[in-house]
């Protein structure tokens, strides 16, 4: 497991040399919307801090799995990938942490990831940190977690549940981003709805195949954790479920 963590951390600091991907960039949103999304994230961040303390605590193995999940999300969400629409796109990587540690814990992890990307990679921004946190670290993990629980509950295998959780969590992030941009910049004709479909149609062309790829990669990562220590995986999932119910 230590080798996995070192490998992912190495990729995090050396592969993403330059990134202009799809977090909302610094200065793009009006101040009022920046404050609105930041305030909306606060309850999830407070609950997430409590959840992390309960799940990680002094357990070294759980901390290593948490670090692996954070590094996985950092690397994937920092990658710049070409888009057929002429823009760029990237996966989010938050599905793995959401499945293992729950959505509240992943909101804190995602916020820290976005802060580091804004400071170190000029990817996203400080003023737009709340908006990006809400879409990638609150909505995405929540959708991933709920999809995983529902699919698993109805008898599908772990692989199918993880795949759908990661893929749909990825897509939900970009649906949310489209909605955030539409609210801030409604179209002169058609308003918020017209603007939303414009942003969503641009994102959808490249994000659907990326979401499928992220789902498959997340299944591989979960299987790797399972092979390393199935007890850690089981413990993480049980604690995540307890923390979610308490929240």
């Amino acid at each position: 497991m230590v080798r996995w963590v070192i490998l992912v951390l190495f990729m995090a600091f050396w592969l993403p040399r330059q990134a202009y991907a799809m977090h909302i960039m610094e200065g793009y949103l009006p101040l009022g919307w920046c404050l609105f999304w930041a305030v909306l994230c606060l309850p999830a961040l407070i609950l997430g801090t409590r959840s992390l303390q309960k799940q990680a605590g002094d357990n070294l193995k759980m901390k290593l799995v948490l670090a692996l999940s954070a590094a996985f999300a950092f690397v994937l969400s920092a990658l710049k990938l070409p888009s057929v629409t002429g823009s760029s796109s990237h996966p989010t990587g938050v599905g793995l942490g959401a499945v293992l540690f729950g959505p509240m814990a992943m909101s804190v992890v995602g916020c820290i990831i976005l802060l580091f990307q804004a400071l170190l990679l000029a990817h996203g921004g400080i003023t737009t940190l709340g908006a990006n946190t809400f879409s990638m670290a609150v909505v995405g993990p929540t959708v991933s977690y709920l999809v995983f629980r529902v699919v698993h509950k109805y008898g599908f295998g772990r692989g199918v549940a993880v795949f759908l959780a990661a893929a749909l969590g990825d897509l939900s992030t970009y649906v949310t981003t489209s909605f955030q941009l539409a609210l801030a910049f409604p179209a002169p004709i058609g308003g918020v709805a017209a603007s939303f479909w414009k942003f969503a149609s641009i994102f959808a062309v490249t994000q659907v195949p990326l979401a499928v790829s992220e789902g498959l990669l997340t299944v591989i990562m979960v299987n790797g954790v399972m092979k390393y220590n199935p007890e850690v995986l089981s413990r993480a999932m049980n604690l995540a479920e307890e923390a979610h119910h308490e929240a």
Side-chain angles (χ1 to χ4, degrees), residues 86-164:
S87 63
S88 60
S89 189
H90 65 77
T92 65
V94 297
L96 176 65
V99 168
L100 295 178
F101 294 95
M104 295 299 104
M106 206 56 198
S107 68
V108 179
V109 174
C111 182
I112 295 172
I113 289 171
L114 289 164
L115 177 61
F116 273 92
Q117 289 178 349
L119 295 175
L120 301 177
L121 305 176
H123 181 26
I126 300 300
T127 61
T128 55
L129 182 63
N132 289 326
T133 298
F134 186 80
S135 61
M136 195 185 94
V138 176
V139 174
T142 300
V143 170
S144 290
Y145 179 83
L146 293 177
V147 168
F148 178 79
R149 293 296 168 188
V150 169
V151 174
H152 207 258
K153 178 181 178 181
Y154 283 96
F156 292 90
R158 188 182 65 244
V160 175
V162 170
F163 170 79
L164 291 175

Side-chain angles (χ1 to χ4, degrees), residues 24-31 34 124-128 185:
I24 301 175
M25 65 182 180
E26 180 68 32
Y28 194 70
L29 289 181
L31 180 61
C34 293
I126 300 300
T127 61
T128 55
F185 306 105

